[in-house]
């Protein structure tokens, strides 16, 4: 049996509606519906990229509706770089890469705040290069060339 996402006690005050309003503000979206579309699209894409304890802990940090979107996805067999993540979102949603990048930045900025610095660091260590910028963070890892 799967555990149901639980509210993060330290951030339980943020509801899904509050998250949508925060994303709407971050992304300067004209409507709540457009913000919700961005949240669902980005969290579904992120759910295909993160696994393990980081996925579980992130789901617990999010409002339940957002956590269900994240955890409903099956992890991809190939992890994408940050730019690959944006391009994949654009292709799947028939959007431009610029729109996909905008949506990603607006949503992941809010997700980063909800996750907190410790969990965000763990998530970024699990993902390939390029994701830190999507979360509004500096890319602190050195790219390791293939041997």
């Amino acid at each position: 049996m799967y555990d149901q996402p639980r509210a993060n006690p330290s951030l339980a005050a943020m509801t899904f509606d509050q998250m949508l309003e925060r994303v709407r503000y971050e992304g300067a979206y004209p409507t709540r519906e457009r913000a919700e579309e961005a949240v669902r699209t980005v969290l579904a894409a992120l759910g295909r990229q993160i696994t393990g304890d980081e996925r579980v802990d992130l789901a617990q940090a999010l409002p339940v509706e957002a956590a269900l979107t994240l955890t409903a996805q099956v992890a991809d067999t190939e992890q994408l770089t940050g730019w690959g993540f944006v391009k994949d979102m654009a292709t799947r949603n028939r959007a431009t890469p610029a729109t996909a990048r905008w949506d990603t930045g607006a949503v992941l900025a809010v997700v980063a705040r909800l996750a907190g610095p410790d969990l965000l660091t763990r998530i970024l260590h699990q993902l390939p290069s390029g994701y830190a910028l999507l979360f509004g963070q500096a890319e602190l890892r050195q790219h390791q060339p293939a041997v």
Side-chain angles (χ1 to χ4, degrees):
M1 177 174 275
Y2 297 102
D3 287 336
Q4 290 295 316
R6 294 170 295 193
N8 182 338
S10 63
L11 299 171
M14 183 170 277
T15 65
F16 188 61
D17 287 334
Q18 290 168 329
M19 181 182 186
L20 293 179
E21 283 306 313
R22 193 75 221 148
V23 169
R24 183 177 177 192
Y25 175 80
E26 290 286 335
Y29 296 115
T31 65
R32 180 186 183 281
E33 291 74 24
R34 179 63 185 95
E36 184 171 356
E37 177 185 333
V39 166
R40 292 192 187 281
T41 299
V42 173
L43 289 179
L46 186 61
R48 292 189 292 273
Q49 295 299 306
I50 63 172
T51 59
D53 290 341
E54 289 75 20
R55 179 184 174 110
V56 171
D57 292 346
L58 180 58
Q60 290 177 347
L62 297 172
V64 173
E65 297 90 335
L68 291 173
T69 300
L70 177 84
T71 58
Q73 304 304 309
V74 175
D76 282 344
T77 56
E78 176 186 348
Q79 279 194 318
L80 301 171
T81 64
W83 177 236
F85 177 83
V86 171
K87 289 191 308 187
D88 182 63
M89 272 186 38
T91 300
R92 287 178 187 255
N93 297 295
R94 296 185 177 146
T96 66
T99 299
R101 174 60 181 95
W102 184 270
D103 290 348
T104 301
V107 173
L108 294 185
V110 175
V111 169
R113 282 188 224 120
L114 287 168
D118 295 338
L119 176 55
L120 183 58
T121 298
R122 289 177 31 223
I123 290 169
L124 292 175
H125 277 58
Q126 183 187 96
L127 296 169
S129 67
Y131 281 87
L133 294 174
L134 299 178
F135 280 95
Q137 307 293 308
E139 183 76 56
L140 300 177
R141 283 196 292 185
Q142 286 280 34
H143 176 67
Q144 300 296 325
V147 182

